[in-house]
Amino acid sequence: MSLTQKNSLYLFLLLCAALLGASCNQAPRKQPPARPHFEVTEASVADVQQALKRGDCNCEQLVQAYQARIAAYDQPTRLNAIIVTNPQALATARLLDAEYRRTGKLRPLHCIPLIIKDNYNTAGLQTTAGSLALKGFAPTEDATLVKKLKAAGAIVLAKSNMAEWAFSPMVTISSIAGETRNPYNLAHVPAGSSGGTAAAVAASFGTAGLGTDTGNSIRGPSSHNALVGFRPTLGLLSRAGIAPLYLRNDTGGPMARSVADATRLLDVMATGPDPADPLTAYCAGKIPAGGYQQFLKKDGLKGARIGVLRTLSERHPDPQVKALFEQAVADLRKAGAVVVEVEIPNFAQVSSGQWASVFKHDINQYLAALGPKAPCTTSTRCWLRANTRLISKIICKMS
């Protein structure tokens, strides 16, 4: 190799080294950090809001995670807790994300995805009370409680299956969606009539939900699905915009994984009288200043008097259920409660007449208030609409 060639090669190698050194000294291009994974399974309201504050996820991603669980587990497992999902949920989530970026503040239930029983009116989203008679009907206005929850930042993620018109406390079966099963054992029932909400919340399809209770329909499904359900005192929460079963006994209420979560929802919904529900006039001045969360104390059972009415609990109980019941009574005592054995004279007499004897009157009032877009405006017309195929078959057989 000539001297000229050697010099050329040397200069070339120096140039390559310089270029390589320059590229190594450049600051590496910053990649946007990947969001840490937030697991929605069994997440509480506090868990969700802490995740939003830490940046573990945003509202849109949270909603997508719950939607993915519904898609993966509701119909594929035949749990069948959900009737319809809200197509506007993601758009609402994006608006809440934009609000949080702008204000740096979270509302009381900011981005908490809720499962709403299908007898609550939800604006623009099908509401059927579990009946084919109202299939396709979308109210123009939310029930009062739904309005309050939305105003607090909650998202209506889906409507849950229910016992048709809320008539069964034992099972959750409707003509609009069929039967809901228990997520802990698909061969078992979730009770009724709010079994769809209970099964959905237990399966982590939403953070919490709403049920209604006339005789047992929040408390039964909650107990069957390891949840906490509140049946509030009549008049504390508005029933406006909820399809009735027996207005004398009806109330809505929260269903959640913990007392804390149920109380958070109760605080948002219990805000005083609602002109649309005259019964709420009785709650005026009765709601504690500062709400109910102030009473969430670990030693809150100390000195509390808890009544046990064995007239109800001793009606041929299953041995396993009886054992659990007695253990619960023992746990209450251990936590400091004073357990009082209660007897009610003439209980059969004073507890009679509790069934929905005026259902037709109550439901006709509700249907009439839905406006001209309602598919049927009386219980009779709703029955005819729901049973069109059956009536057609009968006519064909008779002709």
Side-chain angles (χ1 to χ4, degrees):
M1 180 182 290
S2 67
L3 181 61
T4 302
Q5 288 175 322
K6 288 181 179 180
N7 288 337
S8 298
L9 179 61
Y10 180 70
L11 288 171
F12 175 75
L13 292 173
L14 283 176
L15 179 61
C16 287
L19 289 173
L20 182 61
S23 64
C24 289
N25 291 329
Q26 286 179 354
R29 182 177 295 176
K30 291 185 178 180
Q31 297 293 331
R35 289 185 180 273
H37 177 66
F38 175 66
E39 179 55 66
V40 299
T41 306
E42 300 194 1
S44 68
V45 173
D47 291 336
V48 168
Q49 296 207 321
Q50 286 300 316
L52 294 173
K53 290 177 181 178
R54 290 193 304 265
D56 292 353
C57 65
N58 59 28
C59 189
E60 182 178 358
Q61 292 167 326
L62 184 77
V63 168
Q64 287 173 330
Y66 279 112
Q67 288 175 330
R69 285 192 63 83
I70 293 173
Y73 297 114
D74 187 52
Q75 291 304 309
T77 66
R78 299 177 66 201
L79 180 62
N80 200 33
I82 302 299
I83 294 179
V84 292
T85 54
N86 183 2
Q88 297 302 315
L90 280 176
T92 303
R94 294 182 189 113
L95 291 174
L96 288 168
D97 278 335
E99 177 185 313
Y100 184 45
R101 287 194 299 270
R102 185 175 68 254
T103 66
K105 296 180 181 179
L106 296 178
R107 300 192 219 176
L109 294 175
H110 199 97
C111 191
I112 300 302
L114 298 181
I115 307 297
I116 307 296
K117 187 176 179 179
D118 197 37
N119 55 351
Y120 284 80
N121 287 355
T122 45
L125 192 60
Q126 179 179 272
T127 300
T128 71
S131 176
L132 275 172
L134 295 179
K135 183 178 181 180
F137 171 63
T140 57
E141 188 176 359
D142 287 319
T144 296
L145 297 187
V146 175
K147 284 181 187 176
K148 292 178 184 293
L149 291 165
K150 284 183 175 180
I155 297 175
V156 175
L157 186 64
K159 301 294 290 291
S160 59
N161 194 27
M162 57 180 285
E164 188 152 352
W165 301 111
F167 261 93
S168 175
M170 299 178 185
V171 294
T172 295
I173 302 174
S174 71
S175 62
I176 195 76
E179 182 175 4
T180 297
R181 294 169 172 81
N182 190 305
Y184 291 103
N185 187 331
L186 294 172
H188 290 187
V189 299
S193 63
S194 306
T197 296
V201 174
S204 296
F205 293 168
T207 312
L210 287 185
T212 60
D213 192 310
T214 303
N216 188 50
S217 293
I218 286 176
R219 294 160 292 169
S222 294
S223 67
H224 276 58
N225 292 271
L227 302 178
V228 173
F230 289 168
R231 174 189 164 85
T233 302
L234 286 174
L236 180 61
L237 301 184
S238 174
R239 289 95 43 89
I242 302 174
L245 173 59
Y246 189 24
L247 272 177
R248 196 188 81 172
N249 289 0
D250 289 347
T251 182
M255 302 172 72
R257 290 190 168 276
S258 67
V259 175
D261 280 1
T263 304
R264 282 174 179 261
L265 268 66
L266 183 66
D267 266 350
V268 165
M269 297 186 289
T271 57
D274 176 16
D277 182 0
L279 192 65
T280 58
Y282 291 99
C283 77
K286 304 290 180 61
I287 299 171
Y292 294 98
Q293 291 184 63
Q294 62 185 303
F295 304 111
L296 292 172
K297 301 176 180 178
K298 289 184 178 181
D299 61 350
L301 279 173
K302 286 185 177 179
R305 291 171 62 83
I306 308 293
V308 175
L309 182 61
R310 294 191 180 275
T311 305
L312 294 177
S313 64
E314 297 299 326
R315 289 180 176 176
H316 310 293
D318 180 279
Q320 287 183 302
V321 174
K322 181 174 173 58
L324 285 171
F325 182 87
E326 296 300 340
Q327 184 61 54
V329 172
D331 289 343
L332 289 170
R333 286 196 174 101
K334 186 177 180 180
V338 178
V339 175
V340 181
E341 299 286 342
V342 176
E343 292 186 10
I344 300 177
N346 304 315
F347 178 76
Q349 182 180 348
V350 299
S351 63
S352 64
Q354 297 298 311
W355 191 227
S357 57
V358 290
F359 169 72
K360 186 173 182 180
H361 170 270
D362 291 345
I363 199 65
N364 281 347
Q365 283 192 322
Y366 165 80
L367 292 168
L370 294 179
K373 292 186 178 181
C376 51
T377 54
T378 67
S379 57
T380 301
R381 290 178 179 175
C382 282
W383 187 90
L384 291 170
R385 186 174 192 265
N387 291 280
T388 300
R389 291 184 180 179
L390 174 62
I391 294 169
S392 298
K393 288 181 179 179
I394 293 172
I395 292 172
C396 288
K397 288 182 179 180
M398 292 174 64
S399 60

